[in-house]
C-alpha cells in the first residue's frame, strides 16, 4: 500500500471534511516534492529552512487564526494533527518545525492582546518568525507549579525576569519566547504568569545547547534582569498555569499524531522489508510470527489514530477542554509507536540498527515523544484524575 493509499484511507474516516482532505493532499504532495532537497547537515539551518519552506508554501496558515491570515477562525486541531502525521511520516525535523510554529505561538493566539497578535502571528504564519514555548526548568518539568523563574515589578510598566529554563525546543534559534514565570498572586500554580519575550532582549542568554539522540534545536536559557513590558503579558496576572494548560490541551493530541506518523512509516517499511526479504526459501512475511507482528502493529497504528482524531474532533466541535481525551491520545499513540518501531527494527535484523536506514532513524525519533509535553506516567495520572473527577461530578449532580 502506497503512502497516498494510506492517507486516502485515513481521510475517509468521518472525522474529516473536504477542507481537511484538500489540505492533507496538498501537504503530502508538497512534502514528497520538497523536503528531500532541503538542508540536512547543519541542524539550525535545516530547521530554519523547513520553517521558511512551510511558510512560503502556505501550510503555516494552519497554526494561526484567520484574523491573521490563517485557515480557520480558531485553531483547527484536526488540521494540526493531519499535518504532523503527514510530515512525521516523511521527515521528523519537518514535523518538529511545523509543531513548534504552533506550540510556540499557541499561547499568543489564545491569550494575546490584539496588538501582540498582530505583532507576532503574521511572521509565524509566513515562516519569518520562529517562536518557542519556555515552560520547563531544571527542577520543574512535569510539575509546572514548581516553577522558580520570577517576574517582579520593575517600574510602572515593566517586569524583571530572573531564572533559568531548560529543554526548550527551538532554544537558540527562536526569535521570540513565551516565558512562564512566578508573579506571586497565589501559591503554586495560582501564582504564575506568561510573557512574550523577544530573543534579543538584554539579559536573555542561551546558556547551553542540548544534544539529544535525534537532533532537534534544544537549549537552556538564562534570564538575568530581563526587562519586559507588562503589555507583553498573556492573559491576566496569575493566569500563567491556565495559559499553559489551555495551550497544551490543543497541542498534546498533535504529539500523538506525530507518533502515529512515525509508526505508520515503520509499518510501511516493515511490510516492504518482509515482503521482499527471502528467508528459508520464502518471503519473511510468510512466517506466522512475522504476520503476528504485522497484525499487532497495524492494529496499534489504527487504535492510536482513532484516539488522536477523536480528541481533535471533540476539541474542534467546541469542547472547552479535552484534557482526558488528549492525554489518552498522547499516551497510547506514543507508547504504541515505540512498540511498532521496535518490531520494525527487529524484523529488519542487523539492517535495522544500521545508521542511515529509516527504521533506525525512527527508533531514535520516537523516544522523546514518550517524555515531552507530559511523560507517559504523567498522562496516566491525568487520565485517572479526570476519570475520577467525572464520577465526583456525577455524584454531586445526583445529590442535588
Amino acid at each position: 500500500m502506497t503512502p497516498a493509499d494510506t492517507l486516502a484511507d485515513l481521510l475517509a474516516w468521518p472525522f474529516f471534511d473536504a477542507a481537511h482532505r484538500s489540505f492533507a493532499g496538498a501537504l503530502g504532495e508538497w512534502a514528497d516534492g520538497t523536503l528531500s532537497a532541503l538542508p540536512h547537515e547543519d541542524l539550525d539551518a535545516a530547521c530554519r529552512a523547513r520553517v521558511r519552506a512551510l511558510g512560503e508554501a502556505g501550510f503555516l496558515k494552519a497554526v494561526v487564526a484567520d484574523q491573521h491570515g490563517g485557515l480557520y477562525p480558531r485553531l483547527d486541531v484536526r488540521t494540526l494533527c493531519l499535518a504532523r502525521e503527514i510530515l512525521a511520516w516523511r521527515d521528523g525535523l519537518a514535523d518538529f518545525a511545523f509543531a513548534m510554529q504552533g506550540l510556540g505561538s499557541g499561547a499568543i493566539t489564545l491569550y494575546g492582546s490584539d496588538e501582540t497578535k498582530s505583532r507576532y502571528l503574521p511572521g509565524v504564519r509566513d515562516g519569518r518568525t520562529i517562536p518557542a514555548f519556555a515552560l520547563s526548568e531544571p527542577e520543574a518539568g512535569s510539575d509546572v507549579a514548581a516553577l522558580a523563574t520570577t517576574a517582579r515589578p520593575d517600574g510602572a510598566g515593566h517586569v524583571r525576569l530572573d531564572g533559568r529554563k531548560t529543554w526548550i525546543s527551538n532554544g537558540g534559534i527562536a526569535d521570540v519566547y513565551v516565558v512562564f514565570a512566578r508573579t506571586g498572586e497565589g501559591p503554586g500554580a495560582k501564582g504564575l504568569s506568561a510573557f512574550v519575550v523577544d530573543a534579543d532582549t538584554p539579559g536573555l542568554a542561551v546558556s547551553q545547547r542540548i544534544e539529544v539522540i535525534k537532533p532537534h534545536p534544544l537549549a537552556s536559557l538564562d534570564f538575568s534582569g530581563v526587562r519586559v513590558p507588562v503589555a507583553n503579558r498573556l492573559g491576566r496576572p496569575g493566569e500563567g498555569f491556565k495559559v499553559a494548560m489551555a495551550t497544551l490541551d490543543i497541542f498534546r493530541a498533535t504529539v500523538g499524531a506525530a507518533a502515529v506518523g512515525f509508526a505508520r512509516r515503520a509499518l510501511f517499511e516493515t511490510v516492504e522489508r518482509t515482503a521482499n526479504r527471502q528467508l528459508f526459501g520464502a518471503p519473511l512475511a510468510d512466517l506466522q510470527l512475522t504476520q503476528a507482528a504485522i497484525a499487532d502493529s497495524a492494529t496499534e497504528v489504527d487504535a492510536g489514530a482513532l484516539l488522536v482524531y477523536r480528541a481533535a474532533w471533540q476539541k474542534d466541535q467546541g469542547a472547552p477542554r479535552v484534557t482526558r481525551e488528549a492525554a489518552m491520545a498522547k499516551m497510547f499513540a506514543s507508547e504504541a509507536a515505540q512498540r511498532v518501531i521496535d518490531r520494525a527494527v527487529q524484523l529488519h535484523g542487523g539492517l535495522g540498527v544500521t545508521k542511515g536506514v529509516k527504521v533506525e532513524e525512527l527508533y531514535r525519533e520516537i523516544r522523546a515523544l514518550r517524555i515531552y509535553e507530559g511523560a507517559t506516567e504523567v498522562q496516566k495520572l491525568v487520565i485517572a484524575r479526570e476519570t475520577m473527577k467525572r464520577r465526583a461530578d456525577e455524584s454531586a449532580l445526583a445529590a442535588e
Side-chain angles (χ1 to χ4, degrees), residues 18 50 91 99 139 145 168 238 265 284 289 307 330 333 357 363 378:
R50 282 154 177 77
D91 182 287
E139 302 300 327
I168 304 306
R265 177 62 183 269
L284 180 58
L289 286 174
L307 284 170
K330 197 269 185 185
V357 174
Y363 195 81
V378 173

Side-chain angles (χ1 to χ4, degrees), residues 39-48 50 93:
H40 286 78
E41 298 303 320
D42 182 282
L43 177 61
D44 291 358
C47 195
R48 288 191 179 100
R50 282 154 177 77
L93 192 60

Side-chain angles (χ1 to χ4, degrees), residues 241-257:
F241 185 79
K242 176 182 176 181
V243 172
M245 293 304 104
T247 305
L248 293 175
D249 207 47
I250 289 175
F251 288 95
R252 185 162 281 155
T254 77
V255 181

Side-chain angles (χ1 to χ4, degrees), residues 359-373:
V359 294
E360 183 272 339
E361 176 188 328
L362 292 169
Y363 195 81
R364 289 181 290 115
E365 194 80 73
I366 189 58
R367 191 59 185 85
L369 274 68
R370 296 168 58 203
I371 298 173
Y372 74 67
E373 289 192 40

Side-chain angles (χ1 to χ4, degrees), residues 70-361:
L71 296 180
Y72 297 97
R74 56 190 177 90
L75 297 179
D76 184 86
V77 187
R78 286 168 294 175
T79 300
L80 298 174
C81 287
L82 282 170
R84 292 205 64 179
E85 178 176 343
I86 290 165
L87 292 171
W89 200 98
R90 292 156 174 84
D91 182 287
L93 192 60
D95 162 62
F96 171 88
F98 176 89
M100 286 310 304
Q101 289 298 105
L103 178 63
S105 65
I108 298 174
T109 295
L110 294 174
Y111 289 94
S113 65
D114 289 342
E115 193 277 332
T116 300
K117 292 177 184 178
S118 296
R119 191 190 327 160
Y120 294 106
L121 294 182
V124 170
R125 175 202 65 207
D126 296 339
R128 294 179 288 105
T129 300
I130 295 179
F133 187 78
L135 180 63
S136 296
E137 296 182 4
E139 302 300 327
S142 298
D143 184 7
V144 176
L147 289 184
T149 296
T150 58
R152 297 185 174 91
D154 187 9
H158 289 77
V159 295
R160 172 192 169 114
L161 295 177
D162 292 282
R164 193 178 194 216
K165 298 291 181 179
T166 193
W167 307 112
I168 304 306
S169 294
N170 276 348
I173 69 168
D175 301 297
V176 60
Y177 295 92
V178 172
V179 181
F180 295 83
R182 184 160 301 285
T183 44
E185 289 79 11
K190 296 180 180 179
L192 307 176
S193 298
F195 299 90
V196 181
V197 183
D198 291 319
D200 60 359
T201 305
L204 169 54
V206 177
S207 57
Q208 178 189 11
R209 294 298 297 269
I210 302 171
E211 295 186 13
V212 289
I213 58 175
K214 187 63 178 75
H216 297 98
L218 201 65
S220 296
L221 309 174
D222 282 344
F223 297 81
S224 180
V226 178
R227 202 162 183 261
V228 179
V230 172
N232 282 23
R233 186 181 62 229
L234 301 174
R236 294 191 294 270
E239 284 193 336
F241 185 79
K242 176 182 176 181
V243 172
M245 293 304 104
T247 305
L248 293 175
D249 207 47
I250 289 175
F251 288 95
R252 185 162 281 155
T254 77
V255 181
V260 170
F262 292 137
R264 211 184 287 280
R265 177 62 183 269
L267 177 59
F268 173 82
E269 297 293 335
T270 297
V271 170
E272 291 299 304
R273 172 68 175 172
T274 58
N276 293 304
R277 170 72 164 138
Q278 294 291 308
L279 192 67
F280 306 122
L284 180 58
D286 285 358
L287 297 177
Q288 288 182 333
L289 286 174
T290 301
Q291 293 173 7
I294 291 172
D296 286 342
S297 292
T299 301
E300 289 189 309
V301 168
D302 274 12
L306 285 165
L307 284 170
V308 165
Y309 291 109
R310 177 191 69 160
W313 178 83
Q314 286 183 309
K315 188 65 177 178
D316 291 339
Q317 295 307 300
R321 296 297 299 269
V322 290
T323 304
R324 178 174 177 268
E325 294 79 5
M328 286 180 170
K330 197 269 185 185
M331 178 192 74
F332 182 87
S334 60
E335 292 291 332
Q338 182 79 64
R339 295 189 292 270
V340 171
I341 293 168
D342 188 71
R343 292 186 197 108
V345 170
Q346 191 74 9
L347 287 168
H348 276 68
L351 197 63
V353 292
T354 304
K355 191 170 179 61
V357 174
K358 187 63 181 181
V359 294
E360 183 272 339
E361 176 188 328

